[in-house]
Amino acid sequence: MSGSKTTGSSGGPPEGSGVDYSGLALNLCGLVAGIAIWWVLTAGGAVGLPPPPQVASRFADLIANGQLATDIMSSLARVLTGFLLGVILAIPVGFVMGWYKVARSLIEPYLQFFRMIPPLAIIPLAIVTMGIDETPKIFVIFLASFLASVVATYQGVISVDKTMINAARVLGAGDLTIFLRVIIPASTPFILVGVRIGLGSAWATLVAAELIAAQTGLGFRMQQAQLYYDLPTIFVSLITIGILGLAMDRILLVIERRLTVWQERV
């Protein structure tokens, strides 16, 4: 028998070995390469974008005067509230649609109808019906995350292998037991993918949501900077949104791996 270690198909560490240091190293190399390319392109003035040192200087200024922290807290509050409300409602609706054909027939036309309408197109209606306070901002973000999450949950339920359901029935399991012990675990990977997509949709909708009479927020700061052609501030807001979104996505990825530890991975 061979005494060599078992590794992943990409030559990474064995499954369950902990942190993938090679992957982290590649991530870091990619980040450094991206910044270097950005710096080279802007150093000669060939591209009308601010160089990294100028953006870094604006980062420091906005951190020092507390403006960046205020904007981050405002945007995070809106995104988290809308995102969590969307996911909390989407998961049970998706389960109901997937489990009951009658509910699916009643709900799916409305779901597909609203999926075809960009959440940004709802902004005028949200302003007229909900005013200009925090409610319409959160509602637009909620709608974006809800639609992504509910479709993934519904797809997860209807994709469960019927053989597993029939086997559980043969063994005497009732509908509730099948739902709890078969449907939910089997559809969890789909749900978590939908949650991650919903998170991306929430952040993507943030800037437009903060068009609604916002006084603080990363999207609001970008819109203000646009009026004065303040490119460094725009870059600071864009990079901050990217960093926050990436951090939240990585948290969801860790949760996904822990909840689907049984799932075979490449």
Side-chain angles (χ1 to χ4, degrees), residues 5-21:
K5 291 184 179 179
T6 301
T7 61
S9 59
S10 60
E15 185 177 353
S17 64
V19 180
D20 182 2
Y21 291 106

Side-chain angles (χ1 to χ4, degrees), residues 72-151:
I72 287 174
M73 295 305 296
S74 297
S75 293
L76 267 179
R78 290 168 185 143
V79 167
L80 285 175
T81 303
F83 166 69
L84 291 176
L85 288 175
V87 169
I88 289 171
L89 181 61
I91 291 176
V93 171
F95 275 132
V96 169
M97 288 179 60
W99 190 248
Y100 298 106
K101 291 184 178 180
V102 174
R104 185 188 314 169
S105 299
L106 290 172
I107 299 173
E108 188 175 16
Y110 291 99
L111 178 64
Q112 299 303 332
F113 174 80
F114 281 105
R115 282 186 64 226
M116 297 302 108
I117 302 175
L120 306 186
I122 303 295
I123 288 178
L125 178 62
I127 293 174
V128 171
T129 57
M130 302 178 188
I132 57 174
D133 57 3
E134 290 297 304
T135 304
K137 302 178 185 64
I138 292 173
F139 174 76
V140 172
I141 296 171
F142 154 81
L143 187 62
S145 59
F146 169 80
L147 292 173
S149 301
V150 72
V151 170

Side-chain angles (χ1 to χ4, degrees), residues 48-78:
L49 298 176
Q54 191 175 351
V55 175
S57 176
R58 185 57 53 88
F59 251 117
D61 292 341
L62 293 175
I63 291 172
N65 63 24
Q67 194 174 81
L68 185 59
T70 301
D71 289 337
I72 287 174
M73 295 305 296
S74 297
S75 293
L76 267 179
R78 290 168 185 143

Side-chain angles (χ1 to χ4, degrees), residues 122-193:
I122 303 295
I123 288 178
L125 178 62
I127 293 174
V128 171
T129 57
M130 302 178 188
I132 57 174
D133 57 3
E134 290 297 304
T135 304
K137 302 178 185 64
I138 292 173
F139 174 76
V140 172
I141 296 171
F142 154 81
L143 187 62
S145 59
F146 169 80
L147 292 173
S149 301
V150 72
V151 170
T153 303
Y154 157 68
Q155 191 63 41
V157 175
I158 65 174
S159 298
V160 175
D161 190 347
K162 298 298 185 292
T163 303
M164 297 169 59
I165 297 175
N166 293 333
R169 292 195 190 282
V170 169
L171 293 173
D175 283 351
L176 180 60
T177 301
I178 292 173
F179 185 76
L180 295 176
R181 303 296 296 273
V182 177
I183 300 298
I184 291 180
S187 58
T188 295
F190 288 85
I191 296 171
L192 293 173
V193 168

